[in-house]
Amino acid sequence: DDINRMSSSINYKERALASFLTAEILILNKDYKSAVSTYISAINENPNIGLYWGYCSQVLNTHLNFDPFMSLYFIQNAINLDPKNPRWSFIKGQIISKIIFFEADNEWKFKSWLRQYEKEMSAALVKCHSEQVALKQAILLFVNMLDKKFNNASNILANG
């Protein structure tokens, strides 16, 4: 009832929030395509909320295997609006890791994206507050996993 009332409100912030909450319900129902469309509705109603951009990017990246550059566009907007949020840098690092896999054959592009990946993951760790233990552990786990995948990719940078 509240979501229906909010979605027909004259207040754009309420309409945006209603869209966001509807997208969250769609996520719970595993309707990811509709959720992305609904997140985009929230963004259209109120483009100044980093949460809307970030969640949309996360679903594009995690559940729909969308073009990583599209996901990168959404997460960069989240970072621009909420630069202190470590989750956005973590998600950006995850997206960049997908691009790294595509560029593994091109040494110059690989190194360039790897540098960007390391920058984002470092930023995510620095931005974590002391109470964000689980997020920090997730970041470190992801970094260790990718490092093993590329056989100590950081060494490639050090030697290149």
Side-chain angles (χ1 to χ4, degrees), residues 128-135:
C128 280
H129 299 281
S130 59
E131 67 274 2
Q132 292 178 303
V133 175
L135 179 58

Side-chain angles (χ1 to χ4, degrees), residues 106-138:
N106 182 320
E107 186 177 348
W108 181 83
K109 286 183 179 179
F110 174 80
K111 286 181 180 180
S112 177
W113 282 111
L114 188 58
R115 283 184 184 95
Q116 185 64 33
Y117 164 81
E118 289 178 335
K119 177 184 166 202
E120 289 304 325
M121 290 310 206
S122 293
L125 287 170
V126 168
K127 292 175 187 179
C128 280
H129 299 281
S130 59
E131 67 274 2
Q132 292 178 303
V133 175
L135 179 58
K136 194 170 194 171
Q137 288 174 340

Side-chain angles (χ1 to χ4, degrees), residues 126-154:
V126 168
K127 292 175 187 179
C128 280
H129 299 281
S130 59
E131 67 274 2
Q132 292 178 303
V133 175
L135 179 58
K136 194 170 194 171
Q137 288 174 340
I139 295 166
L140 291 171
L141 181 67
F142 190 87
V143 168
N144 288 334
M145 183 181 66
L146 190 71
D147 205 37
K148 287 177 186 174
K149 180 74 175 172
F150 283 112
N151 297 323
N152 294 321
S154 300

